Short mmCIF file of all heavy atoms in Angstrom, two decimals:
data_model
loop_
_atom_site.label_atom_id
_atom_site.label_comp_id
_atom_site.label_asym_id
_atom_site.label_seq_id
_atom_site.Cartn_x
_atom_site.Cartn_y
_atom_site.Cartn_z
N ILE A 402 84.30 77.50 102.58
CA ILE A 402 83.50 76.83 101.54
C ILE A 402 84.03 77.21 100.17
O ILE A 402 84.23 76.35 99.29
CB ILE A 402 82.01 77.20 101.68
CG1 ILE A 402 81.42 76.61 102.96
CG2 ILE A 402 81.22 76.71 100.46
CD1 ILE A 402 80.01 77.10 103.29
N PHE A 403 84.26 78.50 99.98
CA PHE A 403 84.80 78.96 98.69
C PHE A 403 86.17 78.35 98.45
O PHE A 403 86.48 77.91 97.34
CB PHE A 403 84.87 80.48 98.67
CG PHE A 403 85.08 81.07 97.31
CD1 PHE A 403 84.03 81.16 96.41
CD2 PHE A 403 86.32 81.53 96.92
CE1 PHE A 403 84.22 81.68 95.13
CE2 PHE A 403 86.53 82.05 95.65
CZ PHE A 403 85.46 82.13 94.76
N ALA A 404 87.00 78.30 99.50
CA ALA A 404 88.36 77.75 99.35
C ALA A 404 88.34 76.25 99.07
O ALA A 404 89.30 75.71 98.51
CB ALA A 404 89.16 78.02 100.62
N SER A 405 87.26 75.58 99.45
CA SER A 405 87.21 74.12 99.29
C SER A 405 86.97 73.69 97.85
O SER A 405 87.08 72.50 97.54
CB SER A 405 86.10 73.54 100.18
OG SER A 405 84.82 73.81 99.65
N LEU A 406 86.64 74.64 96.98
CA LEU A 406 86.40 74.30 95.58
C LEU A 406 87.69 74.54 94.78
O LEU A 406 88.09 75.68 94.57
CB LEU A 406 85.27 75.17 95.01
CG LEU A 406 83.91 74.95 95.67
CD1 LEU A 406 82.92 76.01 95.20
CD2 LEU A 406 83.39 73.55 95.38
N PRO A 407 88.36 73.50 94.36
CA PRO A 407 89.64 73.66 93.65
C PRO A 407 89.46 74.47 92.37
O PRO A 407 88.42 74.38 91.70
CB PRO A 407 90.07 72.22 93.35
CG PRO A 407 89.28 71.38 94.29
CD PRO A 407 88.00 72.09 94.52
N TYR A 408 90.46 75.24 92.03
CA TYR A 408 90.37 76.11 90.86
C TYR A 408 90.17 75.32 89.57
O TYR A 408 89.55 75.81 88.63
CB TYR A 408 91.63 76.98 90.74
CG TYR A 408 91.72 78.05 91.80
CD1 TYR A 408 92.90 78.24 92.52
CD2 TYR A 408 90.65 78.88 92.10
CE1 TYR A 408 93.00 79.23 93.49
CE2 TYR A 408 90.73 79.87 93.06
CZ TYR A 408 91.92 80.04 93.76
OH TYR A 408 92.01 81.01 94.71
N ARG A 409 90.67 74.10 89.52
CA ARG A 409 90.53 73.30 88.29
C ARG A 409 89.07 73.09 87.93
O ARG A 409 88.71 73.06 86.74
CB ARG A 409 91.22 71.95 88.47
CG ARG A 409 91.08 71.01 87.29
CD ARG A 409 91.96 71.42 86.12
NE ARG A 409 93.31 70.87 86.28
CZ ARG A 409 94.28 71.01 85.39
NH1 ARG A 409 94.05 71.68 84.26
NH2 ARG A 409 95.48 70.52 85.60
N ILE A 410 88.19 72.98 88.93
CA ILE A 410 86.78 72.70 88.66
C ILE A 410 85.86 73.83 89.07
O ILE A 410 84.64 73.72 88.93
CB ILE A 410 86.32 71.39 89.33
CG1 ILE A 410 86.51 71.46 90.86
CG2 ILE A 410 87.07 70.21 88.74
CD1 ILE A 410 85.91 70.27 91.61
N LEU A 411 86.42 74.93 89.58
CA LEU A 411 85.58 76.03 90.07
C LEU A 411 84.67 76.57 88.97
O LEU A 411 83.51 76.93 89.23
CB LEU A 411 86.45 77.14 90.63
CG LEU A 411 85.73 78.35 91.24
CD1 LEU A 411 84.77 77.92 92.34
CD2 LEU A 411 86.73 79.36 91.76
N HIS A 412 85.17 76.59 87.73
CA HIS A 412 84.35 77.14 86.65
C HIS A 412 83.07 76.32 86.43
O HIS A 412 82.05 76.86 86.02
CB HIS A 412 85.16 77.20 85.35
CG HIS A 412 85.53 75.86 84.79
ND1 HIS A 412 86.52 75.07 85.33
CD2 HIS A 412 85.03 75.15 83.73
CE1 HIS A 412 86.62 73.95 84.64
NE2 HIS A 412 85.73 73.98 83.68
N THR A 413 83.10 75.02 86.75
CA THR A 413 81.91 74.20 86.55
C THR A 413 80.81 74.56 87.54
O THR A 413 79.63 74.33 87.28
CB THR A 413 82.23 72.70 86.67
OG1 THR A 413 82.63 72.40 88.02
CG2 THR A 413 83.35 72.31 85.72
N PHE A 414 81.19 75.14 88.69
CA PHE A 414 80.21 75.63 89.64
C PHE A 414 79.72 77.02 89.26
O PHE A 414 78.60 77.40 89.63
CB PHE A 414 80.82 75.69 91.05
CG PHE A 414 81.09 74.34 91.66
CD1 PHE A 414 82.24 73.64 91.36
CD2 PHE A 414 80.18 73.78 92.54
CE1 PHE A 414 82.49 72.40 91.92
CE2 PHE A 414 80.42 72.53 93.11
CZ PHE A 414 81.57 71.83 92.80
N GLN A 415 80.55 77.76 88.53
CA GLN A 415 80.19 79.12 88.17
C GLN A 415 79.32 79.20 86.91
O GLN A 415 78.47 80.09 86.80
CB GLN A 415 81.47 79.94 87.95
CG GLN A 415 82.29 80.14 89.21
CD GLN A 415 81.59 81.01 90.23
OE1 GLN A 415 81.22 82.15 89.94
NE2 GLN A 415 81.39 80.49 91.43
N ILE A 416 79.53 78.31 85.96
CA ILE A 416 78.80 78.39 84.69
C ILE A 416 77.29 78.39 84.89
O ILE A 416 76.58 79.22 84.30
CB ILE A 416 79.25 77.25 83.74
CG1 ILE A 416 80.68 77.54 83.25
CG2 ILE A 416 78.29 77.11 82.55
CD1 ILE A 416 81.32 76.37 82.50
N PRO A 417 76.71 77.49 85.73
CA PRO A 417 75.25 77.54 85.92
C PRO A 417 74.77 78.86 86.53
O PRO A 417 73.66 79.32 86.21
CB PRO A 417 74.98 76.37 86.88
CG PRO A 417 76.16 75.46 86.74
CD PRO A 417 77.32 76.36 86.45
N VAL A 418 75.57 79.46 87.38
CA VAL A 418 75.20 80.75 87.98
C VAL A 418 75.05 81.81 86.89
O VAL A 418 74.05 82.54 86.84
CB VAL A 418 76.26 81.19 89.01
CG1 VAL A 418 75.98 82.62 89.49
CG2 VAL A 418 76.31 80.22 90.19
N TYR A 419 76.03 81.86 85.99
CA TYR A 419 75.99 82.90 84.96
C TYR A 419 75.02 82.56 83.83
O TYR A 419 74.50 83.46 83.17
CB TYR A 419 77.42 83.18 84.46
CG TYR A 419 78.16 83.92 85.55
CD1 TYR A 419 78.91 83.23 86.50
CD2 TYR A 419 78.05 85.30 85.69
CE1 TYR A 419 79.55 83.90 87.54
CE2 TYR A 419 78.67 85.97 86.72
CZ TYR A 419 79.42 85.27 87.64
OH TYR A 419 80.02 85.94 88.68
N ASP A 420 74.73 81.28 83.65
CA ASP A 420 73.63 80.92 82.75
C ASP A 420 72.31 81.48 83.28
O ASP A 420 71.48 82.01 82.52
CB ASP A 420 73.53 79.40 82.60
CG ASP A 420 74.62 78.82 81.71
OD1 ASP A 420 75.29 79.61 81.00
OD2 ASP A 420 74.81 77.58 81.73
N ALA A 421 72.12 81.36 84.59
CA ALA A 421 70.89 81.88 85.20
C ALA A 421 70.83 83.40 85.12
O ALA A 421 69.76 83.98 84.86
CB ALA A 421 70.81 81.42 86.66
N ILE A 422 71.96 84.05 85.31
CA ILE A 422 72.00 85.50 85.20
C ILE A 422 71.71 85.94 83.77
O ILE A 422 70.96 86.90 83.54
CB ILE A 422 73.38 86.03 85.67
CG1 ILE A 422 73.52 85.87 87.19
CG2 ILE A 422 73.58 87.49 85.26
CD1 ILE A 422 74.89 86.21 87.73
N ARG A 423 72.27 85.23 82.81
CA ARG A 423 72.04 85.58 81.40
C ARG A 423 70.56 85.47 81.05
O ARG A 423 70.02 86.31 80.32
CB ARG A 423 72.86 84.63 80.51
CG ARG A 423 72.85 85.04 79.06
CD ARG A 423 73.56 84.05 78.13
NE ARG A 423 74.57 83.23 78.73
CZ ARG A 423 75.73 82.91 78.14
NH1 ARG A 423 76.02 83.42 76.96
NH2 ARG A 423 76.59 82.10 78.73
N GLU A 424 69.90 84.45 81.59
CA GLU A 424 68.47 84.28 81.32
C GLU A 424 67.65 85.34 82.05
O GLU A 424 66.73 85.93 81.48
CB GLU A 424 68.03 82.88 81.78
CG GLU A 424 66.57 82.59 81.52
CD GLU A 424 66.18 81.17 81.91
OE1 GLU A 424 67.09 80.36 82.18
OE2 GLU A 424 64.96 80.89 81.96
N ARG A 425 68.00 85.61 83.30
CA ARG A 425 67.26 86.58 84.11
C ARG A 425 67.31 87.98 83.49
O ARG A 425 66.32 88.71 83.49
CB ARG A 425 67.84 86.59 85.52
CG ARG A 425 67.39 87.75 86.39
CD ARG A 425 67.98 87.60 87.78
NE ARG A 425 67.88 88.83 88.55
CZ ARG A 425 67.82 88.89 89.87
NH1 ARG A 425 67.83 87.77 90.58
NH2 ARG A 425 67.76 90.03 90.50
N ASP A 426 68.47 88.36 82.96
CA ASP A 426 68.67 89.71 82.46
C ASP A 426 68.80 89.75 80.94
O ASP A 426 69.54 90.56 80.38
CB ASP A 426 69.91 90.32 83.11
CG ASP A 426 69.78 90.44 84.62
OD1 ASP A 426 68.66 90.72 85.08
OD2 ASP A 426 70.78 90.24 85.33
N ALA A 427 68.08 88.87 80.28
CA ALA A 427 68.23 88.73 78.82
C ALA A 427 67.95 90.05 78.09
O ALA A 427 68.67 90.40 77.14
CB ALA A 427 67.29 87.63 78.32
N GLN A 428 66.92 90.78 78.49
CA GLN A 428 66.58 92.02 77.80
C GLN A 428 67.69 93.06 77.99
O GLN A 428 68.03 93.80 77.06
CB GLN A 428 65.25 92.58 78.32
CG GLN A 428 64.74 93.78 77.52
CD GLN A 428 64.53 93.46 76.06
OE1 GLN A 428 63.82 92.50 75.72
NE2 GLN A 428 65.16 94.22 75.16
N PHE A 429 68.25 93.11 79.18
CA PHE A 429 69.36 94.03 79.47
C PHE A 429 70.53 93.77 78.52
O PHE A 429 71.09 94.70 77.92
CB PHE A 429 69.78 93.84 80.93
CG PHE A 429 71.08 94.47 81.32
CD1 PHE A 429 71.20 95.83 81.50
CD2 PHE A 429 72.21 93.67 81.52
CE1 PHE A 429 72.40 96.41 81.88
CE2 PHE A 429 73.41 94.23 81.90
CZ PHE A 429 73.52 95.61 82.08
N TYR A 430 70.89 92.50 78.36
CA TYR A 430 72.03 92.17 77.49
C TYR A 430 71.69 92.44 76.02
O TYR A 430 72.56 92.90 75.25
CB TYR A 430 72.46 90.72 77.70
CG TYR A 430 73.06 90.49 79.06
CD1 TYR A 430 72.42 89.69 80.01
CD2 TYR A 430 74.26 91.11 79.42
CE1 TYR A 430 72.97 89.50 81.27
CE2 TYR A 430 74.81 90.92 80.69
CZ TYR A 430 74.16 90.12 81.60
OH TYR A 430 74.71 89.95 82.84
N ALA A 431 70.44 92.17 75.63
CA ALA A 431 70.04 92.47 74.25
C ALA A 431 70.14 93.97 73.98
O ALA A 431 70.60 94.39 72.90
CB ALA A 431 68.61 91.97 74.01
N ASP A 432 69.74 94.78 74.95
CA ASP A 432 69.80 96.23 74.79
C ASP A 432 71.25 96.71 74.69
O ASP A 432 71.57 97.62 73.91
CB ASP A 432 69.10 96.92 75.96
CG ASP A 432 67.59 96.72 75.94
OD1 ASP A 432 67.06 96.31 74.89
OD2 ASP A 432 66.96 96.97 76.98
N LEU A 433 72.13 96.13 75.50
CA LEU A 433 73.55 96.51 75.44
C LEU A 433 74.14 96.18 74.08
O LEU A 433 74.87 96.99 73.49
CB LEU A 433 74.33 95.78 76.54
CG LEU A 433 74.57 96.52 77.85
CD1 LEU A 433 75.32 95.61 78.82
CD2 LEU A 433 75.37 97.80 77.62
N GLU A 434 73.85 95.00 73.58
CA GLU A 434 74.41 94.61 72.28
C GLU A 434 73.83 95.47 71.16
O GLU A 434 74.53 95.80 70.20
CB GLU A 434 74.14 93.12 72.03
CG GLU A 434 74.98 92.24 72.94
CD GLU A 434 74.86 90.76 72.59
OE1 GLU A 434 73.71 90.30 72.39
OE2 GLU A 434 75.90 90.08 72.54
N LYS A 435 72.57 95.84 71.28
CA LYS A 435 71.96 96.72 70.29
C LYS A 435 72.66 98.08 70.27
O LYS A 435 72.79 98.72 69.21
CB LYS A 435 70.47 96.90 70.60
CG LYS A 435 69.71 97.73 69.57
CD LYS A 435 68.22 97.81 69.92
CE LYS A 435 67.47 98.67 68.90
NZ LYS A 435 66.02 98.77 69.27
N ALA A 436 73.15 98.51 71.44
CA ALA A 436 73.88 99.78 71.53
C ALA A 436 75.31 99.66 70.98
O ALA A 436 76.03 100.67 70.90
CB ALA A 436 73.93 100.26 72.97
N GLY A 437 75.71 98.45 70.60
CA GLY A 437 77.04 98.24 70.04
C GLY A 437 78.07 97.73 71.02
O GLY A 437 79.25 97.59 70.66
N PHE A 438 77.66 97.45 72.25
CA PHE A 438 78.62 97.00 73.26
C PHE A 438 78.98 95.54 73.01
O PHE A 438 78.12 94.69 72.76
CB PHE A 438 78.02 97.14 74.66
CG PHE A 438 79.05 97.09 75.76
CD1 PHE A 438 79.69 98.25 76.18
CD2 PHE A 438 79.39 95.88 76.35
CE1 PHE A 438 80.64 98.20 77.18
CE2 PHE A 438 80.33 95.82 77.35
CZ PHE A 438 80.97 96.99 77.77
#
Side-chain angles (χ1 to χ4, degrees):
I402 293 171
F403 194 77
S405 74
L406 297 171
Y408 289 132
R409 177 75 85 177
I410 59 173
L411 182 56
H412 67 285
T413 66
F414 290 82
Q415 294 293 303
I416 289 170
V418 173
Y419 288 92
D420 284 347
I422 290 173
R423 189 185 335 220
E424 182 177 349
R425 168 177 165 153
D426 298 324
Q428 188 59 54
F429 167 75
Y430 292 113
D432 290 344
L433 264 178
E434 290 187 315
K435 184 178 179 181
F438 197 89

